[in-house]
Structures are given as C-alpha cells and as structure tokens.
Amino acid sequence: MEENIRNMRRRLSPASLLTDDLVVHILSRVPYIWLCRFKCLSKSWLALCSDPEIRKKSPQTLSGFFYRSISTGSLHCEFRRQFTNVSGRGQPMVDPSLSFMPSYNKIEFIDPSNGLLLCRCVNSFPKREYFYVVGNPATQNWIRLPETETMAGSHLVRLAFDPAVSSHFRLGHNRVFLLVKDLHGLNSEVTGVEVYSSKTGSWTYRQSGWGGDCRVDSASRSVLYNGIMHFATVASSVVTVDMELNRWGEIPAPQETDSSCLIGLSQGHLYLVQLHNSVDRHLSVWALEDYHTQHWILKHSVHTAPLPEWRHVHFAGYSEVIAIHPERHLIFFHAGWRGNSDCIVSYDMDSGVVKAVCAPGPSCAFTYIPYVPCFSKWLSDEH
C-alpha cells in the first residue's frame, strides 16, 4: 500500500504533503463507487484504489441491481444474469455471471442481505436437483447450505446477514429463513418457519406465531433491523420474528390497501412504500418514526398520473417497488418507460425528478435485486 501511495503522490504534488496514514484515512471514507471511478485516473490510482485494506474500510451504499432477463430476439429463450449500476451508466461494478460459484444449468437470484446474495442453483442432468447457496460477489466467496425436505416446496426463502455482529458468515448469528406455506402459490398462508443457523450449520422448524391468516407478500424484500426479521404482508402490515424464532409480532399497516408495497431501511428508519392500484397510481411513503409505539409517519405522497414528470412511466400489472435508497430520498420501480416495457425507474422525492436507470432492451427482465457491496473476509473453509 505504501508504494501505491508514493506513486500517486509523484503525479499529484499537493498529495505529497499528506502522510500515508492520512491518505488511507481519507480514501477509506470515500464510497466504493467513487473508488471505482478513481481507478480510471492512472495506474497509480488503479493500484491504490484496488488495495483490499482501503476497500474494506470504504463506506458502502446502494451500488446497483442484479436482475434476470429473457432474450426475446430469437426462437429459443435465453436466460441471462445481469447487473446495472445505480447510475445507469458505465460498465457493471460486479460480474453478474457469478462465475466464482458452482457451474449449474441455472442460478436464480433469491434475496440480498448486506452485501451477500442468496441464490438457488438448479441442475437438470443427470437428475433434477437444486439447492441454495449464499455468495459474496465482492469477495467471490460462497457456501452451500445443507438440504432440508422443506426446500422441495414452493416456499419463500429470505437471507439475514448482520456484519455488525460478525464479518464472517459462519461465525455470526446469521440466518436463512424458509417460510413454509399451507398451499402452493405466491401468497399462501404461512404455517411455519424453518431457519438455517450459520453457527450451528443446521435447520430448525417452528410453527408460525403470526396467527391463522398471515400471508407474506412474496414480491417484497425482507429487512433485518435490530436483530429482528421483518416481512411485508399482502395487507401492507409488517410481521416480525427474532433470529431464534422465540418472539413473534406484527406492526399494523398505516393504511390497509390493495397495493404493491415494499419495506426497506433508509437513514436509520424502517420504511414502507405503497404503490396503490388506482387509476392515478397514488404513491405513499411511510416511515416508522417510533419503533416501540409502532407509529408510522407519512413522509411523502404523490398522485403520479397527472404529473408531467411521470408521463413516460407506464405502470402495468407487474409493476412493483423494488428498492428504497439507504441514504437518499430515492425510490426505484420496475415499470415501463417510453416504448420499453421493462425498466428500472427512479424517483427523487426531494426534487420530483423521474428517470430511467436501466432498460434491458429486447429482453424481458425480472427479479431485481438491490446490491450493496461487502468486502469482509470469510473463513478459510468457505469457498
């Protein structure tokens, strides 16, 4: 690292006044996305910004989205894993092919959690098999989860990784939640939860403590917040359970409605975003200001249809809210834009600016996964 710093100083004379520790301290406060841009300045900057110690300390934020697409330009459908930067510009920050993971017929994106990805690997030959893998695209590490009989069903699977407890997936109290449904279908009633513990390496099953009619929204992401897992329901309420499956709860919806909803963390608060299925496509953004009293505050509300900023956005039956920015007042949607039916569209709640981030082109895109890099080291017995 010291040699990289000296080379950089020779090119930029003002930097010669800074000590090595101060340069490292400054760069460790630069978001990773800017380190990637600095690499283009020179070979010295490339070497310096690629240093793993600086990269590990660099604060991380939303960098982009993984997604799957189906090519419609030929007789045969072709599935592809892709990635777009959150800016919508430049080469992908990470390799969407996940070439470091096992080679199987199909790898499906399932759920993200603080830089890790939960994926399902599928093999069709010589016999059909599938299993779940937790991988880190930034460090190219992965670990295969042990099988459980419940995996054979059409159940909802979500990942809970807390780097604040431990940077190692196996050492921390990290979990994979498998929500067991009563019937096959996207939003069937949840009857139980089976959890994989990274520490014990085993699965544990508990009967659901959410009551008899809990239907978790399969299209919404889960949120790990203060050691508690949060899941959005089809009624826009939020059901919760701790990592040990001992404490079950429910946070009532601020308003019950037939809408596409998403929960997420932004600026230290739990947010609920609702895209109402109305003619004018009403958007509501709620923040849980007081977690203990379960009191929601309406942060933003807009009827999108009459506004000229939204004239290029086309909401259809598949439209959904896919992410809220962890640090800014930005919301991302899967919707149509101009003549393209599958786009990532961003909306700035402060400025009112609406723009397309990504348009896959002659492909149908789905399963958008927000990605925040994590450069923590894994244990040596993990791949």
Side-chain angles (χ1 to χ4, degrees), residues 64-67 83-86 88 320 322-323 331-337 340-347 354-360 365 367-370:
F65 297 88
F66 285 97
Y67 63 95
F83 183 88
T84 181
N85 299 332
V86 72
E320 60 179 347
I322 59 175
I331 298 175
F332 299 87
F333 305 88
H334 173 204
W337 178 265
N340 197 309
S341 60
D342 288 282
C343 292
I344 298 177
V345 177
S346 69
Y347 170 57
V354 183
K355 65 179 182 179
V357 174
C358 167
T367 315
Y368 287 99
I369 301 290

PDB file of all heavy atoms in Angstrom, residues 64-67 83-86 88 320 322-323 331-337 340-347 354-360 365 367-370:
ATOM      1  N   GLY A  64     -26.086  -0.843  -7.190  1.00  0.00           N
ATOM      2  CA  GLY A  64     -26.775  -1.229  -8.418  1.00  0.00           C
ATOM      3  C   GLY A  64     -27.763  -2.349  -8.173  1.00  0.00           C
ATOM      4  O   GLY A  64     -28.167  -2.606  -7.030  1.00  0.00           O
ATOM      5  N   PHE A  65     -28.129  -3.026  -9.263  1.00  0.00           N
ATOM      6  CA  PHE A  65     -29.148  -4.066  -9.189  1.00  0.00           C
ATOM      7  C   PHE A  65     -28.742  -5.281 -10.024  1.00  0.00           C
ATOM      8  O   PHE A  65     -28.353  -5.143 -11.183  1.00  0.00           O
ATOM      9  CB  PHE A  65     -30.494  -3.551  -9.718  1.00  0.00           C
ATOM     10  CG  PHE A  65     -31.071  -2.412  -8.933  1.00  0.00           C
ATOM     11  CD1 PHE A  65     -30.736  -1.096  -9.236  1.00  0.00           C
ATOM     12  CD2 PHE A  65     -31.941  -2.645  -7.884  1.00  0.00           C
ATOM     13  CE1 PHE A  65     -31.263  -0.043  -8.518  1.00  0.00           C
ATOM     14  CE2 PHE A  65     -32.479  -1.598  -7.153  1.00  0.00           C
ATOM     15  CZ  PHE A  65     -32.136  -0.293  -7.465  1.00  0.00           C
ATOM     16  N   PHE A  66     -28.833  -6.451  -9.399  1.00  0.00           N
ATOM     17  CA  PHE A  66     -28.791  -7.691 -10.156  1.00  0.00           C
ATOM     18  C   PHE A  66     -30.200  -7.941 -10.708  1.00  0.00           C
ATOM     19  O   PHE A  66     -31.192  -7.590 -10.076  1.00  0.00           O
ATOM     20  CB  PHE A  66     -28.402  -8.875  -9.273  1.00  0.00           C
ATOM     21  CG  PHE A  66     -26.945  -8.919  -8.905  1.00  0.00           C
ATOM     22  CD1 PHE A  66     -26.508  -8.404  -7.688  1.00  0.00           C
ATOM     23  CD2 PHE A  66     -26.012  -9.471  -9.767  1.00  0.00           C
ATOM     24  CE1 PHE A  66     -25.174  -8.455  -7.334  1.00  0.00           C
ATOM     25  CE2 PHE A  66     -24.667  -9.520  -9.430  1.00  0.00           C
ATOM     26  CZ  PHE A  66     -24.243  -9.008  -8.215  1.00  0.00           C
ATOM     27  N   TYR A  67     -30.267  -8.568 -11.882  1.00  0.00           N
ATOM     28  CA  TYR A  67     -31.575  -8.972 -12.389  1.00  0.00           C
ATOM     29  C   TYR A  67     -31.411 -10.080 -13.423  1.00  0.00           C
ATOM     30  O   TYR A  67     -30.321 -10.305 -13.957  1.00  0.00           O
ATOM     31  CB  TYR A  67     -32.339  -7.787 -12.987  1.00  0.00           C
ATOM     32  CG  TYR A  67     -31.691  -7.137 -14.199  1.00  0.00           C
ATOM     33  CD1 TYR A  67     -32.065  -7.509 -15.501  1.00  0.00           C
ATOM     34  CD2 TYR A  67     -30.732  -6.138 -14.059  1.00  0.00           C
ATOM     35  CE1 TYR A  67     -31.487  -6.906 -16.599  1.00  0.00           C
ATOM     36  CE2 TYR A  67     -30.160  -5.529 -15.157  1.00  0.00           C
ATOM     37  CZ  TYR A  67     -30.536  -5.915 -16.431  1.00  0.00           C
ATOM     38  OH  TYR A  67     -29.957  -5.316 -17.527  1.00  0.00           O
ATOM     39  N   PHE A  83     -26.364  -7.109 -14.452  1.00  0.00           N
ATOM     40  CA  PHE A  83     -26.194  -6.121 -13.382  1.00  0.00           C
ATOM     41  C   PHE A  83     -26.144  -4.743 -14.009  1.00  0.00           C
ATOM     42  O   PHE A  83     -25.516  -4.538 -15.053  1.00  0.00           O
ATOM     43  CB  PHE A  83     -24.898  -6.378 -12.607  1.00  0.00           C
ATOM     44  CG  PHE A  83     -24.692  -5.447 -11.436  1.00  0.00           C
ATOM     45  CD1 PHE A  83     -25.214  -5.751 -10.185  1.00  0.00           C
ATOM     46  CD2 PHE A  83     -23.976  -4.257 -11.583  1.00  0.00           C
ATOM     47  CE1 PHE A  83     -25.038  -4.901  -9.105  1.00  0.00           C
ATOM     48  CE2 PHE A  83     -23.791  -3.393 -10.511  1.00  0.00           C
ATOM     49  CZ  PHE A  83     -24.333  -3.722  -9.264  1.00  0.00           C
ATOM     50  N   THR A  84     -26.817  -3.795 -13.380  1.00  0.00           N
ATOM     51  CA  THR A  84     -26.731  -2.405 -13.807  1.00  0.00           C
ATOM     52  C   THR A  84     -26.325  -1.539 -12.622  1.00  0.00           C
ATOM     53  O   THR A  84     -26.775  -1.760 -11.498  1.00  0.00           O
ATOM     54  CB  THR A  84     -28.071  -1.899 -14.376  1.00  0.00           C
ATOM     55  OG1 THR A  84     -27.927  -0.545 -14.809  1.00  0.00           O
ATOM     56  CG2 THR A  84     -29.180  -1.959 -13.337  1.00  0.00           C
ATOM     57  N   ASN A  85     -25.436  -0.589 -12.863  1.00  0.00           N
ATOM     58  CA  ASN A  85     -25.038   0.351 -11.815  1.00  0.00           C
ATOM     59  C   ASN A  85     -26.226   1.237 -11.458  1.00  0.00           C
ATOM     60  O   ASN A  85     -27.107   1.482 -12.288  1.00  0.00           O
ATOM     61  CB  ASN A  85     -23.860   1.208 -12.279  1.00  0.00           C
ATOM     62  CG  ASN A  85     -22.639   0.372 -12.605  1.00  0.00           C
ATOM     63  OD1 ASN A  85     -22.456  -0.709 -12.044  1.00  0.00           O
ATOM     64  ND2 ASN A  85     -21.809   0.849 -13.513  1.00  0.00           N
ATOM     65  N   VAL A  86     -26.227   1.755 -10.246  1.00  0.00           N
ATOM     66  CA  VAL A  86     -27.355   2.561  -9.789  1.00  0.00           C
ATOM     67  C   VAL A  86     -27.470   3.849 -10.601  1.00  0.00           C
ATOM     68  O   VAL A  86     -28.559   4.425 -10.718  1.00  0.00           O
ATOM     69  CB  VAL A  86     -27.225   2.865  -8.277  1.00  0.00           C
ATOM     70  CG1 VAL A  86     -26.117   3.876  -8.017  1.00  0.00           C
ATOM     71  CG2 VAL A  86     -28.555   3.342  -7.700  1.00  0.00           C
ATOM     72  N   GLY A  88     -26.965   3.892 -13.792  1.00  0.00           N
ATOM     73  CA  GLY A  88     -27.408   3.518 -15.122  1.00  0.00           C
ATOM     74  C   GLY A  88     -26.333   3.666 -16.172  1.00  0.00           C
ATOM     75  O   GLY A  88     -26.571   3.418 -17.359  1.00  0.00           O
ATOM     76  N   GLU A 320     -43.848  -2.869  -9.792  1.00  0.00           N
ATOM     77  CA  GLU A 320     -43.601  -3.027  -8.372  1.00  0.00           C
ATOM     78  C   GLU A 320     -42.527  -2.064  -7.897  1.00  0.00           C
ATOM     79  O   GLU A 320     -41.719  -1.575  -8.698  1.00  0.00           O
ATOM     80  CB  GLU A 320     -43.177  -4.470  -8.067  1.00  0.00           C
ATOM     81  CG  GLU A 320     -41.911  -4.895  -8.793  1.00  0.00           C
ATOM     82  CD  GLU A 320     -41.512  -6.318  -8.460  1.00  0.00           C
ATOM     83  OE1 GLU A 320     -42.061  -6.875  -7.500  1.00  0.00           O
ATOM     84  OE2 GLU A 320     -40.642  -6.858  -9.155  1.00  0.00           O
ATOM     85  N   ILE A 322     -39.122  -1.750  -6.103  1.00  0.00           N
ATOM     86  CA  ILE A 322     -38.054  -2.730  -5.921  1.00  0.00           C
ATOM     87  C   ILE A 322     -37.004  -2.307  -4.896  1.00  0.00           C
ATOM     88  O   ILE A 322     -36.274  -3.164  -4.390  1.00  0.00           O
ATOM     89  CB  ILE A 322     -37.359  -3.065  -7.258  1.00  0.00           C
ATOM     90  CG1 ILE A 322     -36.761  -1.808  -7.901  1.00  0.00           C
ATOM     91  CG2 ILE A 322     -38.338  -3.733  -8.205  1.00  0.00           C
ATOM     92  CD1 ILE A 322     -35.954  -2.093  -9.154  1.00  0.00           C
ATOM     93  N   ALA A 323     -36.924  -1.024  -4.564  1.00  0.00           N
ATOM     94  CA  ALA A 323     -35.912  -0.614  -3.575  1.00  0.00           C
ATOM     95  C   ALA A 323     -36.139   0.817  -3.135  1.00  0.00           C
ATOM     96  O   ALA A 323     -36.714   1.634  -3.858  1.00  0.00           O
ATOM     97  CB  ALA A 323     -34.494  -0.756  -4.142  1.00  0.00           C
ATOM     98  N   ILE A 331     -36.545   6.345  -4.642  1.00  0.00           N
ATOM     99  CA  ILE A 331     -37.311   5.102  -4.732  1.00  0.00           C
ATOM    100  C   ILE A 331     -37.143   4.541  -6.135  1.00  0.00           C
ATOM    101  O   ILE A 331     -37.097   5.293  -7.123  1.00  0.00           O
ATOM    102  CB  ILE A 331     -38.794   5.341  -4.420  1.00  0.00           C
ATOM    103  CG1 ILE A 331     -38.955   5.862  -2.990  1.00  0.00           C
ATOM    104  CG2 ILE A 331     -39.609   4.062  -4.580  1.00  0.00           C
ATOM    105  CD1 ILE A 331     -40.364   6.240  -2.643  1.00  0.00           C
ATOM    106  N   PHE A 332     -37.050   3.215  -6.232  1.00  0.00           N
ATOM    107  CA  PHE A 332     -36.843   2.565  -7.522  1.00  0.00           C
ATOM    108  C   PHE A 332     -38.015   1.633  -7.819  1.00  0.00           C
ATOM    109  O   PHE A 332     -38.498   0.915  -6.943  1.00  0.00           O
ATOM    110  CB  PHE A 332     -35.531   1.777  -7.519  1.00  0.00           C
ATOM    111  CG  PHE A 332     -34.311   2.624  -7.283  1.00  0.00           C
ATOM    112  CD1 PHE A 332     -33.888   2.901  -5.990  1.00  0.00           C
ATOM    113  CD2 PHE A 332     -33.607   3.166  -8.355  1.00  0.00           C
ATOM    114  CE1 PHE A 332     -32.767   3.688  -5.763  1.00  0.00           C
ATOM    115  CE2 PHE A 332     -32.496   3.950  -8.137  1.00  0.00           C
ATOM    116  CZ  PHE A 332     -32.073   4.218  -6.840  1.00  0.00           C
ATOM    117  N   PHE A 333     -38.446   1.651  -9.084  1.00  0.00           N
ATOM    118  CA  PHE A 333     -39.583   0.849  -9.528  1.00  0.00           C
ATOM    119  C   PHE A 333     -39.176  -0.052 -10.693  1.00  0.00           C
ATOM    120  O   PHE A 333     -38.249   0.257 -11.441  1.00  0.00           O
ATOM    121  CB  PHE A 333     -40.732   1.747 -10.023  1.00  0.00           C
ATOM    122  CG  PHE A 333     -41.198   2.777  -9.051  1.00  0.00           C
ATOM    123  CD1 PHE A 333     -40.607   4.029  -9.002  1.00  0.00           C
ATOM    124  CD2 PHE A 333     -42.247   2.508  -8.188  1.00  0.00           C
ATOM    125  CE1 PHE A 333     -41.040   5.000  -8.113  1.00  0.00           C
ATOM    126  CE2 PHE A 333     -42.685   3.469  -7.289  1.00  0.00           C
ATOM    127  CZ  PHE A 333     -42.082   4.716  -7.254  1.00  0.00           C
ATOM    128  N   HIS A 334     -39.911  -1.128 -10.853  1.00  0.00           N
ATOM    129  CA  HIS A 334     -39.890  -1.919 -12.082  1.00  0.00           C
ATOM    130  C   HIS A 334     -41.148  -1.508 -12.837  1.00  0.00           C
ATOM    131  O   HIS A 334     -42.263  -1.788 -12.410  1.00  0.00           O
ATOM    132  CB  HIS A 334     -39.900  -3.406 -11.760  1.00  0.00           C
ATOM    133  CG  HIS A 334     -40.053  -4.276 -12.974  1.00  0.00           C
ATOM    134  ND1 HIS A 334     -40.554  -5.554 -12.904  1.00  0.00           N
ATOM    135  CD2 HIS A 334     -39.773  -4.045 -14.287  1.00  0.00           C
ATOM    136  CE1 HIS A 334     -40.571  -6.089 -14.121  1.00  0.00           C
ATOM    137  NE2 HIS A 334     -40.115  -5.189 -14.966  1.00  0.00           N
ATOM    138  N   ALA A 335     -40.965  -0.838 -13.973  1.00  0.00           N
ATOM    139  CA  ALA A 335     -42.109  -0.305 -14.715  1.00  0.00           C
ATOM    140  C   ALA A 335     -41.713  -0.099 -16.173  1.00  0.00           C
ATOM    141  O   ALA A 335     -40.563  -0.319 -16.571  1.00  0.00           O
ATOM    142  CB  ALA A 335     -42.584   1.013 -14.100  1.00  0.00           C
ATOM    143  N   GLY A 336     -42.679   0.326 -16.985  1.00  0.00           N
ATOM    144  CA  GLY A 336     -42.396   0.653 -18.371  1.00  0.00           C
ATOM    145  C   GLY A 336     -41.912   2.089 -18.500  1.00  0.00           C
ATOM    146  O   GLY A 336     -42.285   2.968 -17.715  1.00  0.00           O
ATOM    147  N   TRP A 337     -41.058   2.320 -19.510  1.00  0.00           N
ATOM    148  CA  TRP A 337     -40.523   3.665 -19.751  1.00  0.00           C
ATOM    149  C   TRP A 337     -40.503   3.907 -21.260  1.00  0.00           C
ATOM    150  O   TRP A 337     -39.854   3.186 -21.997  1.00  0.00           O
ATOM    151  CB  TRP A 337     -39.121   3.796 -19.168  1.00  0.00           C
ATOM    152  CG  TRP A 337     -38.467   5.125 -19.413  1.00  0.00           C
ATOM    153  CD1 TRP A 337     -37.613   5.451 -20.426  1.00  0.00           C
ATOM    154  CD2 TRP A 337     -38.616   6.316 -18.630  1.00  0.00           C
ATOM    155  NE1 TRP A 337     -37.219   6.764 -20.335  1.00  0.00           N
ATOM    156  CE2 TRP A 337     -37.817   7.322 -19.232  1.00  0.00           C
ATOM    157  CE3 TRP A 337     -39.347   6.619 -17.481  1.00  0.00           C
ATOM    158  CZ2 TRP A 337     -37.731   8.610 -18.724  1.00  0.00           C
ATOM    159  CZ3 TRP A 337     -39.263   7.918 -16.971  1.00  0.00           C
ATOM    160  CH2 TRP A 337     -38.455   8.895 -17.580  1.00  0.00           C
ATOM    161  N   ASN A 340     -40.290   0.978 -23.860  1.00  0.00           N
ATOM    162  CA  ASN A 340     -39.738  -0.232 -23.256  1.00  0.00           C
ATOM    163  C   ASN A 340     -40.609  -0.657 -22.077  1.00  0.00           C
ATOM    164  O   ASN A 340     -40.901   0.139 -21.192  1.00  0.00           O
ATOM    165  CB  ASN A 340     -38.301   0.020 -22.786  1.00  0.00           C
ATOM    166  CG  ASN A 340     -37.551  -1.270 -22.539  1.00  0.00           C
ATOM    167  OD1 ASN A 340     -38.027  -2.144 -21.847  1.00  0.00           O
ATOM    168  ND2 ASN A 340     -36.358  -1.377 -23.111  1.00  0.00           N
ATOM    169  N   SER A 341     -40.994  -1.935 -22.068  1.00  0.00           N
ATOM    170  CA  SER A 341     -41.921  -2.398 -21.034  1.00  0.00           C
ATOM    171  C   SER A 341     -41.233  -2.810 -19.747  1.00  0.00           C
ATOM    172  O   SER A 341     -41.900  -2.991 -18.726  1.00  0.00           O
ATOM    173  CB  SER A 341     -42.736  -3.586 -21.567  1.00  0.00           C
ATOM    174  OG  SER A 341     -41.879  -4.657 -21.917  1.00  0.00           O
ATOM    175  N   ASP A 342     -39.901  -3.000 -19.762  1.00  0.00           N
ATOM    176  CA  ASP A 342     -39.179  -3.462 -18.576  1.00  0.00           C
ATOM    177  C   ASP A 342     -38.009  -2.540 -18.282  1.00  0.00           C
ATOM    178  O   ASP A 342     -36.975  -2.600 -18.952  1.00  0.00           O
ATOM    179  CB  ASP A 342     -38.656  -4.890 -18.765  1.00  0.00           C
ATOM    180  CG  ASP A 342     -39.770  -5.903 -18.729  1.00  0.00           C
ATOM    181  OD1 ASP A 342     -40.227  -6.216 -17.622  1.00  0.00           O
ATOM    182  OD2 ASP A 342     -40.170  -6.368 -19.804  1.00  0.00           O
ATOM    183  N   CYS A 343     -38.158  -1.692 -17.271  1.00  0.00           N
ATOM    184  CA  CYS A 343     -37.115  -0.743 -16.906  1.00  0.00           C
ATOM    185  C   CYS A 343     -37.015  -0.614 -15.391  1.00  0.00           C
ATOM    186  O   CYS A 343     -37.955  -0.938 -14.659  1.00  0.00           O
ATOM    187  CB  CYS A 343     -37.397   0.647 -17.490  1.00  0.00           C
ATOM    188  SG  CYS A 343     -37.284   0.762 -19.270  1.00  0.00           S
ATOM    189  N   ILE A 344     -35.865  -0.124 -14.948  1.00  0.00           N
ATOM    190  CA  ILE A 344     -35.745   0.369 -13.583  1.00  0.00           C
ATOM    191  C   ILE A 344     -35.928   1.872 -13.656  1.00  0.00           C
ATOM    192  O   ILE A 344     -35.199   2.563 -14.382  1.00  0.00           O
ATOM    193  CB  ILE A 344     -34.377   0.032 -12.974  1.00  0.00           C
ATOM    194  CG1 ILE A 344     -34.176  -1.482 -12.901  1.00  0.00           C
ATOM    195  CG2 ILE A 344     -34.262   0.636 -11.571  1.00  0.00           C
ATOM    196  CD1 ILE A 344     -32.816  -1.878 -12.373  1.00  0.00           C
ATOM    197  N   VAL A 345     -36.897   2.377 -12.930  1.00  0.00           N
ATOM    198  CA  VAL A 345     -37.201   3.809 -12.923  1.00  0.00           C
ATOM    199  C   VAL A 345     -36.971   4.345 -11.520  1.00  0.00           C
ATOM    200  O   VAL A 345     -37.414   3.741 -10.537  1.00  0.00           O
ATOM    201  CB  VAL A 345     -38.657   4.063 -13.363  1.00  0.00           C
ATOM    202  CG1 VAL A 345     -38.990   5.546 -13.290  1.00  0.00           C
ATOM    203  CG2 VAL A 345     -38.890   3.530 -14.778  1.00  0.00           C
ATOM    204  N   SER A 346     -36.269   5.466 -11.424  1.00  0.00           N
ATOM    205  CA  SER A 346     -36.013   6.078 -10.118  1.00  0.00           C
ATOM    206  C   SER A 346     -36.847   7.341  -9.947  1.00  0.00           C
ATOM    207  O   SER A 346     -37.142   8.047 -10.911  1.00  0.00           O
ATOM    208  CB  SER A 346     -34.527   6.414  -9.960  1.00  0.00           C
ATOM    209  OG  SER A 346     -34.148   7.471 -10.821  1.00  0.00           O
ATOM    210  N   TYR A 347     -37.207   7.614  -8.692  1.00  0.00           N
ATOM    211  CA  TYR A 347     -37.976   8.815  -8.357  1.00  0.00           C
ATOM    212  C   TYR A 347     -37.333   9.484  -7.167  1.00  0.00           C
ATOM    213  O   TYR A 347     -37.167   8.877  -6.105  1.00  0.00           O
ATOM    214  CB  TYR A 347     -39.426   8.446  -8.045  1.00  0.00           C
ATOM    215  CG  TYR A 347     -40.240   9.578  -7.465  1.00  0.00           C
ATOM    216  CD1 TYR A 347     -40.383  10.786  -8.152  1.00  0.00           C
ATOM    217  CD2 TYR A 347     -40.870   9.453  -6.222  1.00  0.00           C
ATOM    218  CE1 TYR A 347     -41.123  11.832  -7.615  1.00  0.00           C
ATOM    219  CE2 TYR A 347     -41.615  10.477  -5.685  1.00  0.00           C
ATOM    220  CZ  TYR A 347     -41.739  11.674  -6.386  1.00  0.00           C
ATOM    221  OH  TYR A 347     -42.475  12.705  -5.858  1.00  0.00           O
ATOM    222  N   VAL A 354     -37.974  12.162 -12.194  1.00  0.00           N
ATOM    223  CA  VAL A 354     -38.228  10.766 -12.543  1.00  0.00           C
ATOM    224  C   VAL A 354     -37.390  10.428 -13.763  1.00  0.00           C
ATOM    225  O   VAL A 354     -37.402  11.164 -14.758  1.00  0.00           O
ATOM    226  CB  VAL A 354     -39.720  10.534 -12.862  1.00  0.00           C
ATOM    227  CG1 VAL A 354     -39.980   9.063 -13.163  1.00  0.00           C
ATOM    228  CG2 VAL A 354     -40.598  11.017 -11.726  1.00  0.00           C
ATOM    229  N   LYS A 355     -36.636   9.324 -13.695  1.00  0.00           N
ATOM    230  CA  LYS A 355     -35.810   8.956 -14.848  1.00  0.00           C
ATOM    231  C   LYS A 355     -35.599   7.455 -14.899  1.00  0.00           C
ATOM    232  O   LYS A 355     -35.727   6.744 -13.892  1.00  0.00           O
ATOM    233  CB  LYS A 355     -34.461   9.670 -14.794  1.00  0.00           C
ATOM    234  CG  LYS A 355     -33.571   9.281 -13.631  1.00  0.00           C
ATOM    235  CD  LYS A 355     -32.240  10.027 -13.692  1.00  0.00           C
ATOM    236  CE  LYS A 355     -31.314   9.598 -12.549  1.00  0.00           C
ATOM    237  NZ  LYS A 355     -30.016  10.303 -12.604  1.00  0.00           N
ATOM    238  N   ALA A 356     -35.258   6.982 -16.103  1.00  0.00           N
ATOM    239  CA  ALA A 356     -34.966   5.567 -16.310  1.00  0.00           C
ATOM    240  C   ALA A 356     -33.514   5.301 -15.951  1.00  0.00           C
ATOM    241  O   ALA A 356     -32.612   6.020 -16.376  1.00  0.00           O
ATOM    242  CB  ALA A 356     -35.236   5.170 -17.750  1.00  0.00           C
ATOM    243  N   VAL A 357     -33.280   4.279 -15.141  1.00  0.00           N
ATOM    244  CA  VAL A 357     -31.930   3.885 -14.758  1.00  0.00           C
ATOM    245  C   VAL A 357     -31.401   2.816 -15.698  1.00  0.00           C
ATOM    246  O   VAL A 357     -30.244   2.828 -16.102  1.00  0.00           O
ATOM    247  CB  VAL A 357     -31.910   3.356 -13.307  1.00  0.00           C
ATOM    248  CG1 VAL A 357     -30.539   2.808 -12.945  1.00  0.00           C
ATOM    249  CG2 VAL A 357     -32.320   4.458 -12.342  1.00  0.00           C
ATOM    250  N   CYS A 358     -32.264   1.885 -16.073  1.00  0.00           N
ATOM    251  CA  CYS A 358     -31.836   0.751 -16.883  1.00  0.00           C
ATOM    252  C   CYS A 358     -32.982   0.295 -17.755  1.00  0.00           C
ATOM    253  O   CYS A 358     -34.117   0.189 -17.299  1.00  0.00           O
ATOM    254  CB  CYS A 358     -31.357  -0.392 -15.982  1.00  0.00           C
ATOM    255  SG  CYS A 358     -31.146  -1.971 -16.823  1.00  0.00           S
ATOM    256  N   ALA A 359     -32.688   0.030 -19.034  1.00  0.00           N
ATOM    257  CA  ALA A 359     -33.643  -0.550 -19.969  1.00  0.00           C
ATOM    258  C   ALA A 359     -32.983  -1.741 -20.631  1.00  0.00           C
ATOM    259  O   ALA A 359     -32.066  -1.569 -21.440  1.00  0.00           O
ATOM    260  CB  ALA A 359     -34.072   0.482 -21.013  1.00  0.00           C
ATOM    261  N   PRO A 360     -33.383  -2.975 -20.282  1.00  0.00           N
ATOM    262  CA  PRO A 360     -32.719  -4.163 -20.799  1.00  0.00           C
ATOM    263  C   PRO A 360     -32.765  -4.343 -22.306  1.00  0.00           C
ATOM    264  O   PRO A 360     -32.113  -5.232 -22.845  1.00  0.00           O
ATOM    265  CB  PRO A 360     -33.467  -5.308 -20.103  1.00  0.00           C
ATOM    266  CG  PRO A 360     -34.083  -4.689 -18.911  1.00  0.00           C
ATOM    267  CD  PRO A 360     -34.418  -3.294 -19.319  1.00  0.00           C
ATOM    268  N   ALA A 365     -37.199  -8.456 -18.374  1.00  0.00           N
ATOM    269  CA  ALA A 365     -36.393  -8.520 -17.154  1.00  0.00           C
ATOM    270  C   ALA A 365     -37.289  -8.720 -15.935  1.00  0.00           C
ATOM    271  O   ALA A 365     -38.434  -8.275 -15.913  1.00  0.00           O
ATOM    272  CB  ALA A 365     -35.567  -7.250 -17.008  1.00  0.00           C
ATOM    273  N   THR A 367     -37.024 -10.074 -11.374  1.00  0.00           N
ATOM    274  CA  THR A 367     -36.242 -10.385 -10.166  1.00  0.00           C
ATOM    275  C   THR A 367     -35.106  -9.375  -9.988  1.00  0.00           C
ATOM    276  O   THR A 367     -33.928  -9.710 -10.086  1.00  0.00           O
ATOM    277  CB  THR A 367     -35.668 -11.826 -10.202  1.00  0.00           C
ATOM    278  OG1 THR A 367     -36.657 -12.735 -10.642  1.00  0.00           O
ATOM    279  CG2 THR A 367     -35.193 -12.225  -8.803  1.00  0.00           C
ATOM    280  N   TYR A 368     -35.469  -8.139  -9.753  1.00  0.00           N
ATOM    281  CA  TYR A 368     -34.459  -7.102  -9.496  1.00  0.00           C
ATOM    282  C   TYR A 368     -34.002  -7.187  -8.040  1.00  0.00           C
ATOM    283  O   TYR A 368     -34.814  -7.148  -7.112  1.00  0.00           O
ATOM    284  CB  TYR A 368     -35.035  -5.721  -9.782  1.00  0.00           C
ATOM    285  CG  TYR A 368     -35.213  -5.432 -11.260  1.00  0.00           C
ATOM    286  CD1 TYR A 368     -36.454  -5.573 -11.871  1.00  0.00           C
ATOM    287  CD2 TYR A 368     -34.135  -5.023 -12.038  1.00  0.00           C
ATOM    288  CE1 TYR A 368     -36.626  -5.303 -13.229  1.00  0.00           C
ATOM    289  CE2 TYR A 368     -34.297  -4.744 -13.392  1.00  0.00           C
ATOM    290  CZ  TYR A 368     -35.545  -4.893 -13.974  1.00  0.00           C
ATOM    291  OH  TYR A 368     -35.699  -4.631 -15.307  1.00  0.00           O
ATOM    292  N   ILE A 369     -32.694  -7.286  -7.843  1.00  0.00           N
ATOM    293  CA  ILE A 369     -32.112  -7.432  -6.513  1.00  0.00           C
ATOM    294  C   ILE A 369     -31.183  -6.251  -6.224  1.00  0.00           C
ATOM    295  O   ILE A 369     -30.147  -6.099  -6.877  1.00  0.00           O
ATOM    296  CB  ILE A 369     -31.303  -8.746  -6.401  1.00  0.00           C
ATOM    297  CG1 ILE A 369     -32.187  -9.957  -6.678  1.00  0.00           C
ATOM    298  CG2 ILE A 369     -30.634  -8.843  -5.043  1.00  0.00           C
ATOM    299  CD1 ILE A 369     -33.208 -10.246  -5.616  1.00  0.00           C
ATOM    300  N   PRO A 370     -31.509  -5.370  -5.264  1.00  0.00           N
ATOM    301  CA  PRO A 370     -30.598  -4.264  -4.916  1.00  0.00           C
ATOM    302  C   PRO A 370     -29.325  -4.806  -4.289  1.00  0.00           C
ATOM    303  O   PRO A 370     -29.351  -5.788  -3.540  1.00  0.00           O
ATOM    304  CB  PRO A 370     -31.411  -3.431  -3.918  1.00  0.00           C
ATOM    305  CG  PRO A 370     -32.419  -4.381  -3.353  1.00  0.00           C
ATOM    306  CD  PRO A 370     -32.744  -5.360  -4.438  1.00  0.00           C
TER     307      PRO A 370
END
